[in-house]
Amino acid sequence: MYDVVLLSMAEPEGGCCGSDGCGDGHSDAPRPRVPVLHCADALRAAGARVETVVACSDTEIDQVLARLDGPPREDGLTWPDADGKTRLVIAVTDDGQLRHVLRRLVRRYAPAPSKRPAELPAGRTVPDLPALAVLPIDAAAVDFAAQLGLPRDPAAVAAAVLGDRARRLDLLRHDGGSVTLDGVLLAGSTEDGQPVQWAGRVEVDDAVLTDGAEPLLAVAVANGSGATLLDGLPLLTAVDPADGVIDVAVAVPVRHKPLFGTPRLRIEVRRARGRAVSVTPRDAQVPFADDGVSGELTRKRSWWVEPAAWGVYTG
Protein backbone atom coordinates (compact mmCIF):
# COMPACT_ATOMS: atom_id res chain seq x y z
CA MET A 1 0.00 0.00 0.00
CA TYR A 2 1.12 3.53 -0.71
CA ASP A 3 2.18 6.41 1.53
CA VAL A 4 0.02 9.38 0.54
CA VAL A 5 0.74 13.02 1.30
CA LEU A 6 -2.14 15.49 1.09
CA LEU A 7 -0.59 18.88 0.40
CA SER A 8 -2.55 22.13 0.60
CA MET A 9 -1.59 25.79 0.74
CA ALA A 10 -2.26 27.86 3.83
CA GLU A 11 -4.72 30.71 3.42
CA PRO A 12 -3.26 34.20 3.99
CA GLU A 13 -5.15 34.39 7.28
CA GLY A 14 -4.43 30.76 8.12
CA GLY A 15 -2.11 31.33 11.05
CA CYS A 16 1.34 30.68 9.53
CA CYS A 17 4.12 31.65 11.89
CA GLY A 18 6.57 32.98 9.33
CA SER A 19 8.28 32.30 6.03
CA ASP A 20 9.24 28.78 7.12
CA GLY A 21 5.89 27.93 8.74
CA CYS A 22 5.49 26.79 12.32
CA GLY A 23 5.58 23.01 12.20
CA ASP A 24 2.95 20.36 12.82
CA GLY A 25 3.40 20.50 16.58
CA HIS A 26 2.81 24.21 16.96
CA SER A 27 -0.50 25.23 18.47
CA ASP A 28 -0.93 27.87 15.78
CA ALA A 29 -0.21 25.53 12.86
CA PRO A 30 -2.82 25.91 10.08
CA ARG A 31 -5.29 23.04 9.89
CA PRO A 32 -6.36 21.19 6.73
CA ARG A 33 -9.65 22.15 5.11
CA VAL A 34 -12.67 19.86 5.49
CA PRO A 35 -12.39 18.21 2.01
CA VAL A 36 -8.77 17.32 2.83
CA LEU A 37 -9.84 15.65 6.08
CA HIS A 38 -12.55 13.69 4.25
CA CYS A 39 -10.03 12.56 1.63
CA ALA A 40 -7.59 11.50 4.36
CA ASP A 41 -10.33 9.46 6.06
CA ALA A 42 -11.12 7.69 2.77
CA LEU A 43 -7.44 6.93 2.20
CA ARG A 44 -6.98 5.49 5.68
CA ALA A 45 -10.10 3.39 5.26
CA ALA A 46 -8.50 1.93 2.12
CA GLY A 47 -5.35 1.04 4.09
CA ALA A 48 -3.04 3.86 3.00
CA ARG A 49 -0.58 5.58 5.30
CA VAL A 50 -1.58 9.25 5.21
CA GLU A 51 -0.01 12.56 6.16
CA THR A 52 -1.56 16.00 5.71
CA VAL A 53 0.66 19.04 5.18
CA VAL A 54 -0.55 22.64 5.05
CA ALA A 55 2.36 24.51 3.50
CA CYS A 56 3.10 28.09 4.49
CA SER A 57 6.18 28.49 2.27
CA ASP A 58 8.03 27.15 -0.74
CA THR A 59 10.44 25.47 1.67
CA GLU A 60 7.62 23.35 3.06
CA ILE A 61 6.36 22.52 -0.43
CA ASP A 62 9.86 21.44 -1.43
CA GLN A 63 10.14 19.23 1.65
CA VAL A 64 7.03 17.36 0.52
CA LEU A 65 8.24 17.08 -3.07
CA ALA A 66 11.57 15.65 -1.86
CA ARG A 67 9.69 12.50 -0.85
CA LEU A 68 9.17 11.81 -4.56
CA ASP A 69 12.95 11.71 -5.23
CA GLY A 70 14.58 8.66 -6.69
CA PRO A 71 17.82 7.10 -5.42
CA PRO A 72 21.07 9.09 -5.77
CA ARG A 73 22.51 9.22 -9.28
CA GLU A 74 26.14 9.09 -10.33
CA ASP A 75 25.74 12.38 -12.22
CA GLY A 76 24.48 14.14 -9.08
CA LEU A 77 21.09 15.05 -10.57
CA THR A 78 17.93 14.90 -8.49
CA TRP A 79 15.45 12.70 -10.37
CA PRO A 80 11.91 11.51 -9.56
CA ASP A 81 11.50 7.90 -8.47
CA ALA A 82 9.65 6.04 -11.21
CA ASP A 83 8.86 3.19 -8.80
CA GLY A 84 8.18 5.24 -5.69
CA LYS A 85 5.60 4.20 -3.11
CA THR A 86 4.76 7.77 -2.11
CA ARG A 87 1.87 9.46 -3.89
CA LEU A 88 0.78 13.06 -3.75
CA VAL A 89 -2.63 14.73 -3.56
CA ILE A 90 -2.66 18.50 -4.05
CA ALA A 91 -5.67 20.27 -2.57
CA VAL A 92 -6.21 23.55 -4.41
CA THR A 93 -8.56 26.50 -4.27
CA ASP A 94 -7.64 27.61 -7.81
CA ASP A 95 -5.46 26.74 -10.79
CA GLY A 96 -2.76 29.13 -9.62
CA GLN A 97 -2.01 26.92 -6.60
CA LEU A 98 -1.74 23.82 -8.79
CA ARG A 99 0.58 25.70 -11.14
CA HIS A 100 2.73 26.80 -8.20
CA VAL A 101 3.36 23.21 -7.10
CA LEU A 102 4.19 22.15 -10.68
CA ARG A 103 6.63 25.03 -10.89
CA ARG A 104 8.38 23.76 -7.79
CA LEU A 105 8.49 20.25 -9.30
CA VAL A 106 10.12 21.62 -12.44
CA ARG A 107 12.67 23.58 -10.44
CA ARG A 108 13.49 20.45 -8.46
CA TYR A 109 13.95 18.04 -11.34
CA ALA A 110 14.91 20.07 -14.44
CA PRO A 111 18.65 19.63 -15.11
CA ALA A 112 20.83 22.49 -16.26
CA PRO A 113 21.39 22.43 -20.05
CA SER A 114 25.05 21.57 -19.46
CA LYS A 115 24.02 18.50 -17.43
CA ARG A 116 21.38 17.10 -19.78
CA PRO A 117 21.40 13.31 -19.33
CA ALA A 118 21.10 10.95 -22.27
CA GLU A 119 17.84 9.44 -21.00
CA LEU A 120 15.95 12.74 -21.03
CA PRO A 121 13.13 12.42 -23.60
CA ALA A 122 13.71 14.13 -26.94
CA GLY A 123 12.19 17.60 -27.13
CA ARG A 124 12.01 17.92 -23.34
CA THR A 125 13.96 19.82 -20.69
CA VAL A 126 12.42 17.93 -17.75
CA PRO A 127 12.06 14.22 -17.00
CA ASP A 128 8.67 12.56 -16.58
CA LEU A 129 7.33 14.34 -13.53
CA PRO A 130 5.44 12.18 -10.99
CA ALA A 131 1.70 11.86 -11.49
CA LEU A 132 -0.42 13.52 -8.83
CA ALA A 133 -4.05 13.73 -7.78
CA VAL A 134 -5.94 17.01 -7.62
CA LEU A 135 -8.48 17.70 -4.89
CA PRO A 136 -10.49 20.87 -5.64
CA ILE A 137 -11.54 22.59 -2.42
CA ASP A 138 -14.54 24.06 -4.24
CA ALA A 139 -16.35 21.08 -5.78
CA ALA A 140 -18.37 23.36 -8.08
CA ALA A 141 -15.52 25.51 -9.42
CA VAL A 142 -14.87 25.79 -13.15
CA ASP A 143 -11.17 25.00 -13.18
CA PHE A 144 -8.54 22.94 -14.99
CA ALA A 145 -9.50 19.79 -13.08
CA ALA A 146 -13.10 20.21 -14.28
CA GLN A 147 -11.88 20.73 -17.83
CA LEU A 148 -9.99 17.42 -17.60
CA GLY A 149 -12.98 15.61 -16.09
CA LEU A 150 -11.03 14.62 -12.96
CA PRO A 151 -12.81 13.31 -9.86
CA ARG A 152 -13.79 16.05 -7.41
CA ASP A 153 -15.40 14.24 -4.48
CA PRO A 154 -12.79 13.56 -1.73
CA ALA A 155 -13.55 9.82 -1.68
CA ALA A 156 -13.25 9.63 -5.48
CA VAL A 157 -9.94 11.50 -5.39
CA ALA A 158 -8.70 9.03 -2.76
CA ALA A 159 -9.65 6.11 -4.99
CA ALA A 160 -7.93 7.74 -7.97
CA VAL A 161 -4.58 8.31 -6.25
CA LEU A 162 -4.53 4.69 -5.06
CA GLY A 163 -5.34 3.40 -8.55
CA ASP A 164 -3.18 2.84 -11.60
CA ARG A 165 -4.95 5.09 -14.12
CA ALA A 166 -2.99 8.22 -14.92
CA ARG A 167 -3.16 10.60 -17.87
CA ARG A 168 -0.01 12.29 -19.13
CA LEU A 169 -0.38 15.99 -20.00
CA ASP A 170 1.70 18.62 -21.75
CA LEU A 171 3.32 21.41 -19.77
CA LEU A 172 4.22 24.87 -21.01
CA ARG A 173 7.44 26.42 -19.75
CA HIS A 174 8.52 30.00 -20.41
CA ASP A 175 11.69 32.02 -20.21
CA GLY A 176 10.40 33.88 -17.14
CA GLY A 177 11.09 30.74 -15.11
CA SER A 178 7.52 29.57 -14.53
CA VAL A 179 5.07 27.11 -16.09
CA THR A 180 1.57 27.16 -17.54
CA LEU A 181 -0.90 24.29 -17.24
CA ASP A 182 -4.02 25.65 -18.94
CA GLY A 183 -3.25 28.87 -20.76
CA VAL A 184 -2.49 32.57 -20.89
CA LEU A 185 -4.78 35.35 -22.12
CA LEU A 186 -3.06 38.65 -22.85
CA ALA A 187 -5.74 41.33 -22.94
CA GLY A 188 -6.62 44.55 -21.18
CA SER A 189 -9.84 46.43 -20.47
CA THR A 190 -10.99 49.75 -19.09
CA GLU A 191 -12.78 50.15 -15.77
CA ASP A 192 -16.14 49.82 -17.54
CA GLY A 193 -15.06 46.61 -19.28
CA GLN A 194 -14.22 47.98 -22.73
CA PRO A 195 -11.26 46.24 -24.44
CA VAL A 196 -8.00 48.15 -24.70
CA GLN A 197 -6.04 47.90 -27.93
CA TRP A 198 -2.31 47.21 -27.79
CA ALA A 199 0.44 46.19 -30.19
CA GLY A 200 2.94 43.36 -30.22
CA ARG A 201 4.75 40.85 -32.41
CA VAL A 202 3.52 37.25 -32.13
CA GLU A 203 5.46 34.35 -33.65
CA VAL A 204 4.60 30.64 -33.58
CA ASP A 205 7.59 28.55 -34.64
CA ASP A 206 8.46 30.19 -37.99
CA ALA A 207 5.06 31.82 -38.61
CA VAL A 208 4.34 35.48 -37.79
CA LEU A 209 0.73 36.03 -36.74
CA THR A 210 1.24 39.77 -36.37
CA ASP A 211 4.37 41.89 -36.81
CA GLY A 212 3.52 44.51 -34.19
CA ALA A 213 2.42 47.20 -36.63
CA GLU A 214 -1.32 46.67 -36.14
CA PRO A 215 -3.53 46.92 -33.04
CA LEU A 216 -4.45 43.81 -31.05
CA LEU A 217 -7.28 43.07 -28.66
CA ALA A 218 -5.96 39.79 -27.26
CA VAL A 219 -3.51 36.94 -27.61
CA ALA A 220 -4.33 33.46 -26.32
CA VAL A 221 -1.50 31.00 -25.63
CA ALA A 222 -3.29 27.78 -24.81
CA ASN A 223 -2.53 24.29 -23.59
CA GLY A 224 -6.16 23.81 -22.49
CA SER A 225 -9.40 25.62 -23.20
CA GLY A 226 -9.73 27.74 -20.08
CA ALA A 227 -8.03 30.91 -21.44
CA THR A 228 -9.57 31.04 -24.89
CA LEU A 229 -12.59 33.35 -24.52
CA LEU A 230 -12.60 37.10 -25.16
CA ASP A 231 -15.91 38.60 -23.97
CA GLY A 232 -17.68 35.43 -25.06
CA LEU A 233 -15.82 35.17 -28.39
CA PRO A 234 -14.04 31.78 -28.67
CA LEU A 235 -10.50 32.52 -29.83
CA LEU A 236 -9.67 28.80 -29.97
CA THR A 237 -11.72 25.61 -30.07
CA ALA A 238 -10.92 21.93 -29.51
CA VAL A 239 -7.67 22.56 -27.61
CA ASP A 240 -6.08 19.30 -26.43
CA PRO A 241 -3.69 19.48 -23.42
CA ALA A 242 -2.01 16.22 -24.50
CA ASP A 243 -1.37 16.75 -28.23
CA GLY A 244 2.22 18.01 -27.92
CA VAL A 245 1.64 21.48 -29.40
CA ILE A 246 0.68 24.99 -28.27
CA ASP A 247 -2.47 26.58 -29.69
CA VAL A 248 -2.19 30.32 -30.29
CA ALA A 249 -4.72 32.93 -31.43
CA VAL A 250 -4.57 36.68 -31.94
CA ALA A 251 -7.65 38.91 -32.08
CA VAL A 252 -7.23 41.87 -34.43
CA PRO A 253 -9.84 44.66 -34.68
CA VAL A 254 -10.63 45.42 -38.33
CA ARG A 255 -12.75 48.39 -39.40
CA HIS A 256 -15.16 47.33 -42.12
CA LYS A 257 -16.63 50.03 -44.34
CA PRO A 258 -19.59 48.77 -46.39
CA LEU A 259 -20.57 50.38 -49.66
CA PHE A 260 -23.63 51.77 -47.93
CA GLY A 261 -24.09 52.29 -44.22
CA THR A 262 -21.98 53.08 -41.19
CA PRO A 263 -18.45 51.63 -40.81
CA ARG A 264 -18.34 48.82 -38.29
CA LEU A 265 -15.63 47.14 -36.28
CA ARG A 266 -15.23 43.39 -36.58
CA ILE A 267 -12.73 41.07 -34.95
CA GLU A 268 -10.42 38.96 -37.08
CA VAL A 269 -9.01 35.89 -35.32
CA ARG A 270 -5.78 34.34 -36.62
CA ARG A 271 -4.72 30.95 -35.33
CA ALA A 272 -1.61 28.77 -35.41
CA ARG A 273 -0.18 25.72 -33.64
CA GLY A 274 3.42 24.87 -32.90
CA ARG A 275 6.07 23.87 -30.40
CA ALA A 276 7.00 27.41 -29.30
CA VAL A 277 5.52 30.91 -29.28
CA SER A 278 6.91 34.35 -28.51
CA VAL A 279 5.09 37.59 -27.75
CA THR A 280 6.99 40.88 -27.93
CA PRO A 281 4.88 43.80 -26.65
CA ARG A 282 5.29 47.21 -28.27
CA ASP A 283 3.41 48.85 -25.39
CA ALA A 284 4.98 49.36 -21.98
CA GLN A 285 2.66 47.00 -20.10
CA VAL A 286 0.24 44.38 -21.38
CA PRO A 287 -2.07 42.79 -18.76
CA PHE A 288 -2.42 39.01 -18.77
CA ALA A 289 -3.93 36.13 -16.81
CA ASP A 290 -1.78 32.99 -16.63
CA ASP A 291 -3.74 30.04 -15.19
CA GLY A 292 -5.93 32.69 -13.59
CA VAL A 293 -2.98 34.57 -12.02
CA SER A 294 -2.81 38.21 -13.14
CA GLY A 295 0.33 40.00 -14.24
CA GLU A 296 1.77 42.45 -16.75
CA LEU A 297 4.04 41.64 -19.67
CA THR A 298 6.73 44.28 -20.17
CA ARG A 299 9.22 42.49 -22.45
CA LYS A 300 9.44 39.60 -24.89
CA ARG A 301 8.32 36.26 -23.47
CA SER A 302 8.65 32.85 -25.06
CA TRP A 303 6.73 29.69 -24.20
CA TRP A 304 7.55 26.16 -25.31
CA VAL A 305 5.74 22.86 -24.86
CA GLU A 306 7.05 19.93 -22.84
CA PRO A 307 5.03 17.01 -24.27
CA ALA A 308 3.57 14.58 -21.70
CA ALA A 309 5.78 16.04 -18.96
CA TRP A 310 3.37 15.59 -16.04
CA GLY A 311 0.41 13.44 -15.16
CA VAL A 312 -2.79 13.26 -13.14
CA TYR A 313 -4.55 10.28 -11.59
CA THR A 314 -7.92 9.97 -13.27
CA GLY A 315 -9.71 7.31 -11.21
Side-chain angles (χ1 to χ4, degrees), residues 53 76 81 147 153 164 260 267 270 292:
V53 176
D81 189 352
Q147 182 188 144
D153 177 76
D164 295 321
F260 302 101
I267 298 177
R270 303 170 191 163

Side-chain angles (χ1 to χ4, degrees), residues 7-11 58 61 90-105 132 134-137 141-145 171 174 178-184 226-227 288-295 310:
L7 173 65
S8 56
M9 313 302 124
E11 296 299 310
D58 285 345
I61 294 174
I90 303 177
V92 297
T93 59
D94 53 45
D95 290 339
Q97 290 186 345
L98 180 60
R99 182 188 72 157
H100 188 81
V101 175
L102 263 294
R103 181 172 60 192
R104 302 307 300 179
L105 270 176
L132 49 88
V134 181
L135 173 62
I137 296 298
V142 179
D143 52 21
F144 194 47
L171 181 70
H174 67 66
S178 190
V179 301
T180 298
L181 309 182
D182 188 5
V184 186
F288 68 83
D290 186 345
D291 286 341
V293 179
S294 298
W310 70 295

Side-chain angles (χ1 to χ4, degrees), residues 17-251:
C17 299
S19 60
D20 293 324
C22 41
D24 289 342
H26 196 286
S27 60
D28 292 331
R31 293 185 56 79
R33 306 280 287 273
V34 171
V36 176
L37 298 176
H38 288 170
C39 187
D41 289 342
L43 287 164
R44 293 188 181 100
R49 295 175 292 272
V50 182
E51 180 180 355
T52 61
V53 176
V54 182
C56 294
S57 67
D58 285 345
T59 298
E60 293 180 328
I61 294 174
D62 293 344
Q63 288 170 351
V64 170
L65 300 183
R67 306 182 199 189
L68 306 176
D69 291 355
R73 294 168 52 101
E74 292 183 0
D75 57 12
L77 294 175
T78 302
W79 217 249
D81 189 352
D83 300 316
K85 293 298 182 182
T86 298
R87 294 194 170 181
L88 179 63
V89 179
I90 303 177
V92 297
T93 59
D94 53 45
D95 290 339
Q97 290 186 345
L98 180 60
R99 182 188 72 157
H100 188 81
V101 175
L102 263 294
R103 181 172 60 192
R104 302 307 300 179
L105 270 176
V106 168
R107 290 193 177 195
R108 184 166 194 83
Y109 294 127
S114 61
K115 295 184 177 181
R116 180 185 176 91
E119 67 268 33
L120 196 64
R124 289 255 300 272
T125 66
V126 295
D128 287 346
L129 300 175
L132 49 88
V134 181
L135 173 62
I137 296 298
D138 182 357
V142 179
D143 52 21
F144 194 47
Q147 182 188 144
L148 296 173
L150 299 181
R152 305 183 71 82
D153 177 76
V157 174
V161 77
L162 296 179
D164 295 321
R165 294 177 58 190
R167 179 184 178 189
R168 300 303 297 183
L169 299 169
D170 301 336
L171 181 70
L172 304 188
R173 295 190 66 186
H174 67 66
D175 56 5
S178 190
V179 301
T180 298
L181 309 182
D182 188 5
V184 186
L185 183 64
L186 297 103
S189 61
T190 61
E191 292 184 358
D192 58 357
Q194 296 301 310
V196 174
Q197 297 183 11
W198 54 282
R201 182 181 179 89
V202 181
E203 301 173 76
V204 182
D205 293 345
D206 296 326
V208 178
L209 290 183
T210 178
D211 62 5
E214 59 190 340
L216 294 174
L217 291 178
V219 175
V221 178
N223 187 45
S225 60
T228 59
L229 288 176
L230 177 66
D231 291 334
L233 172 67
L235 301 179
L236 291 161
T237 58
V239 182
D240 183 353
D243 60 4
V245 295
I246 308 173
D247 288 81
V248 182
V250 299

